[in-house]
Amino acid sequence: MASVKALLYKSKKRGDGKYLIAIRITHKRKSKYYFLKWVDEKHWNATESKVKTSYPNSRRLNNLILKKIVEASDLVFEFESQKKDFEAADIVSLMKGNRTTTSFFDLAEKHIDNLNKVHNYNRAISDNSKIATFREFVSNDALTFQDIDQKLLENFKIYLQAKGTMGEVSIKNVLVLIRLLFNRAIKQKLVEQKYYPNFSDGLITNPQSSKIGLDEVELRRIENLDLSAKPKIHYARNIFLFSFYLAGIRISDVLHMKWSAIRNGRLYYTMGKNKKASSLKLSKNILDILDQYKNGKRNKDDYIFPELKKADPKNPRDIYAKKKTATKKINESLAKMAKLAKIDKEITTHIARHTFGNIAGDKISPQMLQKLYRHSNLSTTIGYQNNFIHKDADEALDSVINF
């Protein structure tokens, strides 16, 4: 329980013999002081903690002392009633007018605005959704960074897990965004470092996700399906195979591909996720798929696949929305394709990337796979490919159980 008292601060004496009137806040056995005015000790009533009537304008000064005592007491009550951890120094800092005026959601909105200004709409939409999830949980638009402590974040994580609408990776990404904004607030001096929660203490973890791709037999089944009477599924298969034949190019890059990227039997493109440039040889399988869309080619800068042809090229939001809608429809068709091929694994556009990794196995060196995957770090490639290399583990298991 914190205490507040007005007193004459005798640890410091001015040359004329006067002392400072101070409001002392004591909490956790530590005291901090908010100073008011220099007075002569003869004018101070230590018993009643106020100046005597002998002091000029004593009523005005005593009103100020009382006002500051009430202000400090109210701040203490605010912290204690909300069960917030605080120091005596925090009360003094707030009394000096250092109250944070930028709430967490104020800074979050600036973050989204900045992403929109640089046309990073994919990230802006994704981060805005994460922030909305946190806002729904706390139900407090005035939430300060001091309010975001370890316990609140732990409860938020449990809330998301119990809700069941987000996977572990998505939950991690929401917490990573909160951490990013907290670090930014510290850098901008909106909050002190001492309030920084321990995000690494079981809060933000890297969940192990199961990456399952198709095998060679399953891929052949898809390639051999007769889909002439099912144009939507036929188109979805082309997108899936186009991605697979080019080492698992992501769906957003596939849909964004233009005819100008194809030159001299090669594909030249810059990966949307990390802006890495790449060039890949076009196999006969890829050329066969491309032949099916040549009639729709309007010029060399036209999109290969139809989804973005109707998008406003000057409106990144429109492009993003059409890619998102297209991906959803393609995945719906791929689910139908899986049933036709009698494959009981989930098939989505991203599974094309896992399928390439699964079939590549340990046939290709990690360095070459890094180039094909367009990974920035070799460790990322090794970690990704380990999901699909089972030979050594299988042989080790057999050596034990087949005795």
Side-chain angles (χ1 to χ4, degrees), residues 259 294-300 302-303 308-310:
W259 289 103
K294 280 185 176 178
N295 289 338
K297 180 180 177 181
R298 297 173 295 192
N299 53 62
K300 68 180 181 65
D302 194 15
Y303 294 106
L308 300 186
K309 291 178 185 287
K310 296 179 181 179

Side-chain angles (χ1 to χ4, degrees), residues 242-249 280 352-353 356 372-374:
F242 189 90
S243 170
F244 168 76
Y245 294 145
L246 291 171
I249 290 180
L280 296 171
R353 190 171 180 84
F356 183 87
L372 290 172
Y373 288 145
R374 283 75 64 192

Side-chain angles (χ1 to χ4, degrees), residues 47 72 77 104 166 203 237 243 254 259 347 358:
T47 304
F77 177 76
F104 172 83
M166 298 176 71
L203 258 178
R237 177 176 66 179
S243 170
V254 171
W259 289 103
I347 301 182
N358 189 43

Side-chain angles (χ1 to χ4, degrees), residues 384-395:
Y384 180 82
Q385 203 60 21
N386 278 340
N387 291 278
F388 310 111
I389 299 175
H390 311 296
K391 182 180 177 182
D392 291 345
D394 292 347
E395 289 178 352

Side-chain angles (χ1 to χ4, degrees), residues 23 39 45 70 86 139 168 190 208 212 217 233 245 310 345-346 376 383 393 401:
I23 306 298
V39 298
N45 185 331
V70 170
F86 70 98
S139 299
E168 289 297 318
L190 300 175
Q208 294 292 321
I212 300 175
V217 173
I233 299 178
Y245 294 145
K310 296 179 181 179
K345 295 176 182 175
E346 180 186 27
S376 298
I401 66 176

Side-chain angles (χ1 to χ4, degrees), residues 184-199:
R184 191 170 295 171
I186 291 172
K187 189 174 181 180
Q188 295 179 14
K189 301 188 184 305
L190 300 175
V191 63
E192 295 180 57
Q193 178 71 44
K194 67 181 181 180
Y195 290 107
Y196 188 72
N198 188 357
F199 286 94

Side-chain angles (χ1 to χ4, degrees), residues 154-168 171 175 202-203 205:
E154 288 172 356
N155 288 337
F156 177 51
K157 185 175 182 178
I158 293 169
Y159 163 80
L160 293 178
Q161 291 169 332
K163 197 174 181 182
T165 56
M166 298 176 71
E168 289 297 318
I171 292 173
L175 291 167
L203 258 178
T205 57

Side-chain angles (χ1 to χ4, degrees), residues 3-18:
S3 64
V4 178
K5 184 178 181 179
L7 49 76
L8 209 58
Y9 186 74
K10 293 189 176 181
S11 296
K12 189 175 182 180
K13 186 176 182 180
R14 206 164 68 172
D16 59 3
K18 293 182 178 180

